[in-house]
Amino acid sequence: MKKPEEEGSARAAKASDIDQQYWLLRRGHIALSPYIKLARMDRPIGTWLLLYPCWWSYAMAFKSTTSFAIANWHDLWLAALFAIGAFVMRGAGCTINDLADRKVDAKVARTALRPLPSGQITPLQALIFLGALLLVGLLILLQFNNFTIWLGISSLALIVTYPFMKRITYWPQAWLGLTFNWGALMGWSAVTGSLSPPAFMLYAAGFFWTLGYDTIYAHQDKEDDALVGVKSTALKLGAKTKPWLVLFYGLTVALMAAAGYMVQFNWIYFAGLVVIAAHFGWQIITLDIDKADNCLFRFKANRHIGLALLAAIVACGFSV
């Protein structure tokens, strides 16, 4: 018969969100494994969700000011910098989140085996790692124009305060929406050196998109969250989640359409929005908020939303 602590460890291992089959965890140096887990390298979906709003607005601003046909290596390099920056800053955000939540994470089955709550690394080691990530992030940010640099620096206020929102409000997903979609502003400013209404439309679209997908994600932890006193939209909305998702995702598509209309995109862009709306409909109709695997699959499927909008923008960029 297993001891209680052994049963708890087995439950945590089964519920853990760490991908132990990730190639760097299987083949990398064991001393680096905790940092790979801390930065969520084994779960790249977060990096994609952070990156897509950057690429949306960068591509949309580029199309509205010139033609993709005359793009040069410098333009492609800036797009690559956004990708590297998203990877680094996602890791930094996860480190800040885990430092703030390490005591709570120890009580939640899905997060109990993360490096900090499980004792694989110390808070000091995590802080040193965070400093290194922020330094790399700063070096990347300095490659952009001055307006974008200051815009990027201002996002730190959102990044640092987000982990504490779940202790204050049932809407931490709204704060995540403000944080995760900041790139929709930065992508535009990287091209134009300023901000315009289409950038704010994309930012707002990303905000409601995040409200939707992260509410789905939060349903995985609602029982543990209720026990430890952590708040979320999953707990707030409960059985009414699907009607709220219709609102969140409906506003997402409407705001994406508004951004496209402002830059005078053609029918290709709006055809892409029809595909996106259909995908959102599938998510809502097939969602089972009481099955963690179902929620996780639909959350991860949002990478297709990001790619579909980017493809629609790029297609417009090459069309006559």
Side-chain angles (χ1 to χ4, degrees):
M1 186 174 181
K2 290 185 178 180
K3 296 179 181 179
E5 57 269 23
E6 292 176 339
E7 291 180 352
S9 297
R11 178 173 177 262
K14 183 178 180 180
S16 177
D17 57 4
I18 297 170
D19 182 3
Q20 298 290 357
Q21 297 306 308
Y22 182 62
W23 68 276
L24 276 178
L25 292 179
R26 289 188 291 108
R27 300 181 183 180
H29 196 285
I30 192 169
L32 297 178
S33 294
Y35 299 98
I36 292 170
K37 298 173 187 176
L38 187 62
R40 311 284 201 277
M41 293 183 195
D42 57 310
R43 283 152 287 165
I45 180 63
T47 299
W48 285 115
L49 295 177
L50 184 62
L51 174 59
Y52 277 127
C54 303
W55 276 353
W56 293 345
S57 69
Y58 183 80
M60 184 174 284
F62 193 84
K63 170 61 175 72
S64 68
T65 57
T66 184
S67 168
F68 283 1
I70 61 171
N72 56 41
W73 284 110
H74 179 261
D75 301 315
L76 296 176
W77 172 239
L78 288 181
L81 285 176
F82 275 117
I84 301 168
F87 175 79
V88 171
M89 293 310 297
R90 192 261 181 139
C94 290
T95 302
I96 293 171
N97 184 77
D98 285 9
L99 280 165
D101 286 352
R102 60 188 185 276
K103 293 182 180 179
V104 173
D105 284 346
K107 301 175 184 178
V108 177
R110 187 175 62 84
T111 58
L113 295 183
R114 287 180 177 176
L116 280 164
S118 64
Q120 296 174 50
I121 58 173
T122 66
L124 177 59
Q125 290 172 319
L127 282 170
I128 294 171
F129 181 61
L130 173 62
L133 290 174
L134 292 176
L135 177 59
V136 174
L138 177 60
L139 292 175
I140 293 170
L141 186 60
L142 291 175
Q143 308 307 307
F144 294 97
N145 59 56
N146 288 338
F147 187 89
T148 305
I149 291 171
W150 286 109
L151 193 60
I153 291 172
S154 66
S155 70
L156 288 175
L158 291 169
I159 294 170
V160 171
T161 53
Y162 163 68
F164 303 98
M165 291 299 110
K166 66 189 72 173
R167 297 168 173 80
I168 300 171
T169 175
Y170 278 100
W171 294 87
Q173 281 69 30
W175 203 261
L176 182 66
L178 295 174
T179 306
F180 240 56
N181 294 284
W182 201 255
L185 303 178
M186 293 181 63
W188 190 276
S189 70
V191 175
T192 66
S194 62
L195 290 174
S196 300
F200 290 109
M201 290 297 104
L202 282 179
Y203 181 59
F207 170 81
F208 286 108
W209 181 42
T210 302
L211 265 181
Y213 69 62
D214 206 56
T215 295
I216 293 173
Y217 184 81
H219 271 286
Q220 298 176 93
D221 298 329
K222 58 190 175 186
E223 294 180 1
D224 286 329
D225 286 349
L227 288 173
V228 300
V230 171
K231 300 177 175 67
S232 73
T233 49
L235 289 173
K236 178 68 174 179
L237 304 179
K240 298 179 181 179
T241 290
K242 286 193 176 185
W244 279 92
L245 288 177
V246 172
L247 175 63
F248 297 155
Y249 284 158
L251 287 170
T252 300
V253 174
L255 288 161
M256 288 175 174
Y261 177 79
M262 287 178 178
V263 296
Q264 299 181 328
F265 273 178
N266 61 26
W267 66 270
I268 296 175
Y269 178 81
F270 295 97
L273 294 188
V274 172
V275 174
I276 288 171
H279 193 290
F280 281 146
W282 167 80
Q283 286 186 41
I284 296 168
I285 292 170
T286 63
L287 176 66
D288 187 336
I289 60 173
D290 294 319
K291 292 183 178 179
D293 289 345
N294 179 285
C295 293
L296 182 61
F297 186 79
R298 277 139 194 80
F299 163 74
K300 288 183 176 180
N302 277 279
R303 65 184 179 274
H304 302 309
I305 298 295
L307 180 59
L309 185 62
L310 180 63
I313 296 170
V314 172
C316 282
F318 284 107
S319 65
V320 178

